[in-house]
Amino acid sequence: MQKSYALFDFDGTLRKGDSIVSLCLYAHRRKLCTTGQLLKGIAYAAGYGLHLCSAERAKAAALCWMKGRLVPEVEAFSMDFCLHVLVPQLYPEGLKALRQEQARGASVLLITASPSFYLEPLETMLGVEAVIGTRMNVDDRERYTGDICGDNCRGVQKPLRLAEYLAARGDRLDYDTSSAYGDSASDLNMLELCARQVGVNPKPKLRKALEGRKNAEIVHWTPPEKE
């Protein structure tokens, strides 16, 4: 069935900054992540920024504290993290745009390079149809191994993962009535799937790519005021 979709990147689009950093800091405060593990993740994040290691390797290093943890334990932690950290950090304008997409009848998907396991509670909290993100490996004892499963959900992987999702449901995206929101050039492959392409606080490469496009928009969203 052909459907109207609204595709949202998450980090940098619906909130400021990298949510995996916030996740690891929160895990450290909750005593799930040791100081040594936290520092390891920071070191690999710096290495990724300097192009010394892959995004997959950096993510695996940042999430090494998950190794051996049971799925139900991680699900409970993720629910708490979304409720107390992520939802309060969402751009108010982004949340309004998401609600407007839902009101017009679009099916909303979050498609992100961030690991999907800790964003899945947002399906219920925000009423989105699904979270499509980087997958983490779980062994046959329902324990996380700490390793990335497959490719980082970034760039061309976003359309590929979306195609996988739609095929499993027997649906097709209606290009003319669908929208996509992103903040960086790595979101461009996803944005081009939809007639309406929205650059949110776009980085220079994305801004340049969207310039002159008939259905492209540039918006500037701001974080919520701290209480």
Side-chain angles (χ1 to χ4, degrees):
M1 181 175 66
Q2 189 162 285
K3 294 172 59 176
S4 177
Y5 279 91
L7 315 177
F8 286 83
D9 173 52
F10 189 71
D11 290 338
T13 299
L14 284 175
R15 68 181 292 278
K16 183 178 180 179
D18 191 337
S19 61
I20 198 170
V21 173
S22 298
L23 176 82
C24 293
L25 290 171
Y26 194 66
H28 184 255
R29 291 198 297 271
R30 293 285 301 274
K31 310 298 182 184
L32 297 178
C33 173
T34 68
T35 299
Q37 289 170 330
L38 181 63
L39 292 175
K40 177 182 178 181
I42 292 171
Y44 271 87
Y48 172 67
L50 294 171
H51 306 289
L52 298 176
C53 67
S54 67
E56 289 85 354
R57 186 69 190 92
K59 280 189 171 74
L63 298 173
C64 64
W65 54 271
M66 290 181 58
K67 185 175 182 179
R69 297 194 179 278
L70 289 165
V71 169
E73 177 189 14
V74 174
E75 286 177 344
F77 167 75
S78 299
M79 181 72 72
D80 194 50
F81 174 64
C82 283
L83 180 63
H84 296 291
V85 178
L86 291 187
V87 170
Q89 293 176 346
L90 295 176
Y91 292 137
E93 300 98 327
L95 188 56
K96 180 180 178 180
L98 189 151
R99 296 302 185 209
Q100 288 174 335
E101 294 286 2
Q102 291 171 325
R104 74 174 180 85
S107 297
V108 175
L109 301 176
L110 303 185
I111 307 182
T112 172
S114 295
S116 56
F117 76 88
Y118 67 81
L119 296 178
E120 286 171 356
L122 295 177
E123 293 178 5
T124 300
M125 293 179 186
L126 301 181
V128 303
E129 183 172 284
V131 172
I132 300 173
T134 300
R135 294 176 281 211
M136 299 294 293
N137 192 48
V138 175
D139 65 20
D140 56 8
R141 298 177 299 161
E142 289 297 293
R143 293 182 183 272
Y144 282 92
T145 67
D147 299 318
I148 299 292
C149 179
D151 294 311
N152 193 35
C153 187
R154 185 176 186 271
V156 71
Q157 285 298 317
K158 289 193 173 188
L160 291 176
R161 290 287 306 283
L162 175 61
E164 175 187 284
Y165 173 82
L166 294 176
R169 295 172 59 86
D171 290 335
R172 291 184 294 123
L173 181 146
D174 183 344
Y175 172 85
D176 292 328
T177 65
S178 294
S179 306
Y181 300 73
D183 73 301
S184 73
S186 65
D187 296 318
L188 193 57
N189 298 102
M190 179 182 77
L191 267 59
E192 290 177 338
L193 298 174
C194 304
R196 182 168 176 251
Q197 302 165 13
V198 185
V200 180
N201 305 337
K203 295 180 175 65
K205 286 185 178 180
L206 179 60
R207 177 182 289 276
K208 183 176 181 180
L210 294 179
E211 285 179 356
R213 296 194 180 194
K214 181 180 178 181
N215 296 323
E217 302 172 32
I218 302 296
V219 298
H220 297 281
W221 294 345
T222 57
E225 294 183 4
K226 294 183 178 180
E227 296 182 357

